[in-house]
Amino acid sequence: MAVVTNLEPKRRKSTPLDDLTALVADDLSAVNEIIVQRMHSSVDMIPQLAGYLIAAGGKRLRPVLTLAAAELCGYKGEDHKMLAAVVEFIHTATLLHDDVVDESDLRRGLASANAVFGNKASVLVGDFLFSRSFELMVEVGSLDVLRILSKASAVIAEGEVLQLRTTNDTETSEQAYLEVIKAKTAELFAAACRVGAVVADRPQAEELALYDYGMNLGIAFQLVDDVLDYSAFQAKLGKTVGDDFREGKITLPVVLAFRRGNDEERAFWRRTMEELDQQEGDLERAQELMARHNALKDTVERARHYGSIARDALGLFPDTPVKAALLEVLDFVIERDF
């Protein structure tokens, strides 16, 4: 298989994320070049597998956030490009590991890397990308950056383990669920934003404001992802609708529907999610119960709440086109259908 080096996002109808990306387009092109260069290895399978996943598309949201945060803070150097590549490598490594753990067959509408190359190769290439990300951080030479991104990597791993503990457990609380998504998803959003202020040597108040923006954006992002697993069309979502249900993954829509259901409905959730005794029509039944108890609607409302917190966090910064685009991305993340 030839190494794929075209890392430009696939064309689609313009969105607020596209508008934000356009504001940092030159920097993002440089980031893509760094990614291609740094995922090179004399072991052919490493660039093949990493390139397969990175070139498959995706929103590029995390590295774009790093570039936008640096722009928001008035940074004029070059290190933010390296850090954006670090963020993408960390994200890609977690995707490789995620798909192995979840036994996923699809990623962004294509066969997942583990389905094509196997689980062992996916795990090991994920390890390679983690290692490469630390090499890049050392090159930047900032102990603060190294501290923030290394901590984020550890927290993400903790989130994966926490999720193993809640999988198939219908007694999972909303608080336990939030702990999982804060660690597994939102922490990298937060770190991606925060390092933009750190590399620009901005005051701690701005650094923490960007961390709060990223954290709450990340929570909202994952909440909507969990809704889409029960409500989106597969072709748009880029994965099989109902994957979370089939895996017995406890997400907020399940937590709410279980809590609000009667004894017969809770028995349904225990059978399908705990025992994984699933029959034809069970996914449709789960969707019907979620609709009956407003579980999807209320999960989106939770996402809007966290989006409002993220919006407030940017109040510290002067009005600029980048700030306006970051605010519009909040609405896009919550209202998207893919």
Side-chain angles (χ1 to χ4, degrees):
M1 180 185 295
V3 178
V4 182
T5 58
N6 179 16
L7 301 182
E8 295 301 320
K10 297 177 181 178
R11 288 186 177 273
R12 61 178 185 273
K13 185 178 178 181
S14 180
T15 69
L17 178 55
D18 296 321
D19 297 338
L20 178 63
T21 301
L23 291 174
V24 296
D26 290 344
D27 286 347
L28 186 59
S29 293
V31 172
N32 287 335
E33 291 178 9
I34 293 169
I35 290 171
V36 170
Q37 293 167 1
R38 296 309 182 99
M39 69 184 183
H40 175 74
S41 169
S42 58
V43 180
D44 290 344
M45 184 175 285
I46 290 175
Q48 287 174 0
L49 194 155
Y52 176 83
L53 180 57
I54 292 173
K59 293 171 275 294
R60 301 279 187 270
L61 181 51
R62 295 154 190 83
V64 166
L65 287 173
T66 298
L67 299 175
E71 174 75 17
L72 185 67
C73 291
Y75 181 62
K76 300 301 181 185
E78 299 293 323
D79 286 345
H80 64 313
K81 301 172 188 176
M82 195 84 82
L83 295 179
V86 168
V87 167
E88 184 68 1
F89 276 152
I90 293 173
H91 176 54
T92 303
T94 62
L95 293 184
L96 287 168
H97 291 168
D98 271 359
D99 285 345
V100 171
V101 172
D102 295 341
E103 299 180 350
S104 298
D105 295 324
L106 283 178
R107 168 66 63 182
R108 296 167 184 157
L110 301 174
S112 60
N114 54 300
V116 175
F117 297 92
N119 287 340
K120 294 179 181 179
S122 291
V123 169
L124 294 172
V125 173
D127 292 344
F128 170 85
L129 292 177
F130 269 126
S131 301
R132 188 67 91 204
S133 72
F134 280 94
E135 288 182 354
L136 292 171
M137 282 185 256
V138 170
E139 288 183 33
V140 171
S142 167
L143 284 177
D144 285 339
V145 163
L146 185 60
R147 172 178 52 82
I148 291 165
L149 290 174
S150 61
K151 178 186 176 184
S153 298
V155 170
I156 292 166
E158 289 174 342
E160 288 291 344
V161 177
L162 278 174
Q163 187 170 64
L164 289 178
R165 194 172 66 187
T166 62
T167 297
N168 310 119
D169 182 4
T170 56
E171 300 295 333
T172 298
S173 66
E174 183 170 344
Q175 182 59 38
Y177 161 83
L178 285 172
E179 286 178 10
V180 170
I181 67 170
K182 284 178 181 178
K184 185 172 177 287
T185 300
E187 183 67 27
L188 186 56
F189 277 80
C193 294
R194 185 176 186 176
V195 295
V198 172
V199 77
D201 197 25
R202 300 302 300 164
Q204 188 179 46
E206 293 184 16
E207 179 185 329
L208 296 179
L210 280 167
Y211 178 89
D212 288 343
Y213 170 84
M215 174 61 68
N216 288 285
L217 171 64
I219 294 170
F221 180 92
Q222 188 59 56
L223 285 166
V224 172
D225 247 21
D226 293 343
V227 167
L228 291 176
D229 194 71
Y230 288 93
S231 63
F233 294 104
Q234 179 175 334
K236 280 194 171 185
L237 189 58
K239 66 175 184 178
T240 309
V241 173
D243 271 351
D244 290 348
F245 178 75
R246 281 180 282 272
E247 294 166 11
K249 189 177 292 183
I250 306 300
T251 58
L252 188 57
V254 175
V255 171
L256 296 179
F258 180 85
R259 181 187 300 167
R260 296 168 180 177
N262 58 33
D263 288 344
E264 181 271 330
E265 292 168 357
R266 290 194 186 103
F268 165 83
W269 290 114
R270 291 190 184 100
R271 172 176 64 81
T272 56
M273 305 299 281
E274 292 188 4
E275 301 170 20
L276 290 181
D277 177 11
Q278 298 181 5
Q279 304 162 9
E280 186 175 352
D282 278 347
L283 175 59
E284 291 75 14
R285 171 69 168 158
Q287 292 168 318
E288 185 271 326
L289 292 177
M290 288 177 177
R292 177 185 302 176
H293 297 294
N294 292 319
L296 298 180
K297 178 182 176 182
D298 287 352
T299 298
V300 173
E301 285 304 311
R302 300 284 204 285
R304 291 196 178 100
H305 165 73
Y306 288 105
S308 294
I309 298 174
R311 183 177 300 276
D312 290 342
L314 291 188
L316 208 59
F317 298 92
D319 293 335
T320 62
V322 170
K323 177 181 174 179
L326 286 168
L327 292 174
E328 289 172 2
V329 161
L330 289 170
D331 294 329
F332 163 71
V333 162
I334 295 166
E335 304 301 334
R336 65 198 165 98
D337 59 0
F338 62 90

